[in-house]
Amino acid sequence: MKTIIAACSQNLSGSRASLPAALRTLLAVPWPSQRDVRAWLQLLAVLQWVLSFLLLGTVSLLLLVYLVFTKFWPISALYLAWVIFDWDTPEKGGRRLPCLRRWPVWRHFRDYFPVKLVKTHDLSPSHNYIIGSHPHGILCVGAFCNFITGSTGFAEMFPGIRPFLTTLAGNFRLPLFREYLMSGGLCPVTRRAIGYLLSKNGTGNAVAIVIGGAAESLSCRPGITTLILKNRKGFVRMALQHGAYLVPSFSFGENDLFRQVVFEEGSWMRSIQQRFQKMMGFAPCVFYGRGLTSVRSRGFLPYARPITTVVGEPVMVPKIEDPSHETVDMYHEMYIRSLLKLFNENKTKASSWRRKSRWPRC
């Protein structure tokens, strides 16, 4: 018995002696720096955004279908009833939540790239506007960050202006995802939804439309900008019908966020992409970005490349309920000239802005 007690006492004293050594070893381990912590917070902010846009709608739909065959089927039934009751809300200005636009996560999202907004002219709250957003890129990061989140200071630069961003109408048919989109200020890219914001929601509305759409994303590649604009005149006709001023905007660096396999015009793969885009509304791009663990790995996260969105001078547009083709063509040409002027005046500045930006690393 005495032998057992002596052995236990020896082990206990050994444990006491090893405790300070363990503490010293723990303290000697380098803790993550503030820069490392910020980089990981930025990476997680981008991850939640990408997962939300790529998976939230599909996963929510599959979950509600699964619940139908369980004892929790009333949840699916109640949500279906709510969607039927709330069906027209996206077409009538949506249901934006200012608290979501001010979500602190968006500041980390902004700083990951980083994204910067540049103002060149004032926008008067006494008018409504259609902001043409160029280029589309893969996921429209610049348009989302500047017009949907409050992280880049849009409200401070353009006081009295309420920004909206349009996206595919089919996104508002997906459960939960529709609520997520509306809460940020997104609306369907339909005549009815845009017309409501420009005519029945007062003044001071700025509806951002990515003019090139899904078709433009098929030509997205780093260092090269290809815009689909020549035959896109519907937004000009809408502006004339509602007397909304046309405002060009260009996001320098948008095409540098992903690498894409671009199939040449006339190839069978390009024809498949175009047919799919016409049927479904979006184009199946073959692209990749960085992985979650390292910038050298491949994955679905965008590369950390600076984006500078420049908002140009408004093109004043009269209100004409039934504009002629000649009038539409004239203002379409005016818009193109304004966009080219914006691009040429800022492309050199954008290069210097991007060189001054710091790219976070993980």
Side-chain angles (χ1 to χ4, degrees):
M1 184 66 179
K2 292 180 180 179
T3 304
I4 296 174
I5 294 174
C8 291
S9 300
Q10 186 177 0
N11 292 336
L12 186 60
S13 62
S15 299
R16 292 196 190 99
S18 62
L19 183 59
L23 290 175
R24 285 195 298 271
T25 303
L26 181 62
L27 293 175
V29 175
W31 289 81
S33 64
Q34 290 186 354
R35 182 179 180 182
D36 292 335
V37 173
R38 285 197 301 268
W40 275 105
L41 289 175
Q42 292 164 12
L43 189 63
L44 292 175
V46 174
L47 176 63
Q48 67 82 24
W49 179 77
V50 171
L51 291 178
S52 297
F53 268 81
L54 295 182
L55 298 178
L56 179 59
T58 303
V59 172
S60 300
L61 179 60
L62 294 176
L63 178 60
L64 289 176
V65 171
Y66 169 75
L67 292 178
V68 170
F69 302 98
T70 68
K71 63 180 179 180
F72 300 105
W73 64 267
I75 296 177
S76 298
L78 288 174
Y79 187 79
L80 177 61
W82 162 252
V83 170
I84 294 174
F85 173 78
D86 196 55
W87 189 260
D88 289 334
T89 299
E91 303 275 354
K92 297 180 178 180
R95 189 170 41 248
R96 57 196 297 155
L97 297 177
C99 60
L100 183 64
R101 295 172 60 88
R102 295 191 300 266
W103 200 19
V105 170
W106 300 130
R107 293 198 297 269
H108 298 297
F109 178 86
R110 172 202 63 195
D111 294 339
Y112 170 82
F113 299 97
V115 181
K116 180 180 180 180
L117 179 65
V118 177
K119 168 186 173 181
T120 62
H121 291 80
D122 292 329
L123 298 182
S124 172
S126 61
H127 298 285
N128 287 324
Y129 304 89
I130 291 181
I131 300 178
S133 180
H134 310 271
H136 184 284
I138 297 294
L139 293 179
C140 304
V141 172
F144 178 87
C145 190
N146 288 297
F147 303 130
I148 294 303
T149 78
S151 60
T152 57
F154 184 95
E156 291 74 23
M157 291 185 188
F158 303 101
I161 302 297
R162 294 181 298 274
F164 297 85
L165 178 63
T166 59
T167 185
L168 293 175
N171 290 329
F172 295 89
R173 305 296 179 251
L174 295 173
L176 297 185
F177 191 43
R178 69 190 296 274
E179 322 299 339
Y180 178 80
L181 294 176
M182 284 193 292
S183 63
L186 284 100
C187 62
V189 59
T190 61
R191 291 183 179 275
R192 182 185 177 192
I194 298 172
Y196 180 90
L197 293 173
L198 297 179
S199 62
K200 299 180 181 179
N201 200 42
T203 59
N205 300 292
V207 183
I209 304 175
V210 186
I211 307 298
E216 192 174 272
S217 65
L218 296 176
S219 301
C220 169
R221 65 179 75 183
I224 300 176
T225 301
T226 302
L227 300 184
I228 296 180
L229 181 57
K230 183 178 180 180
N231 296 319
R232 299 293 176 99
K233 301 178 182 180
F235 72 103
V236 178
R237 183 175 295 276
M238 287 285 294
L240 286 164
Q241 290 173 341
H242 298 282
Y245 290 5
L246 291 168
V247 183
S249 71
F250 196 94
S251 293
F252 294 91
E254 181 72 44
N255 286 351
D256 299 335
L257 305 183
F258 293 95
R259 304 291 184 268
Q260 181 181 193
V261 180
V262 178
F263 301 101
E264 297 299 327
E265 288 288 346
S267 63
W268 65 275
M269 279 297 298
R270 188 58 172 260
S271 63
I272 290 177
Q273 288 178 315
Q274 291 173 340
R275 289 178 182 178
F276 189 92
Q277 184 256 322
K278 289 180 180 179
M279 290 188 298
M280 303 299 295
F282 65 93
C285 302
V286 182
F287 68 92
Y288 66 89
R290 61 157 290 178
L292 182 61
T293 57
S294 170
V295 294
R296 297 177 179 84
S297 61
R298 291 187 178 184
F300 55 87
L301 295 178
Y303 291 106
R305 301 291 185 266
I307 302 173
T308 302
T309 301
V310 185
V311 179
E313 181 180 4
V315 176
M316 292 185 290
V317 176
K319 185 175 181 180
I320 305 175
E321 293 186 4
D322 188 19
S324 65
H325 292 294
E326 292 76 15
T327 302
V328 173
D329 290 343
M330 181 181 69
Y331 282 96
H332 185 258
E333 287 295 328
M334 291 173 61
Y335 176 83
I336 292 177
R337 288 197 298 268
S338 181
L339 177 62
L340 288 174
K341 178 184 176 183
L342 174 71
F343 178 82
N344 291 325
E345 288 181 349
N346 291 278
K347 59 183 179 182
T348 305
K349 298 177 184 177
S351 298
S352 64
W353 291 327
R354 295 171 66 190
R355 283 195 298 269
K356 293 178 182 178
S357 300
R358 295 193 306 172
W359 298 359
R361 300 293 183 185
C362 292

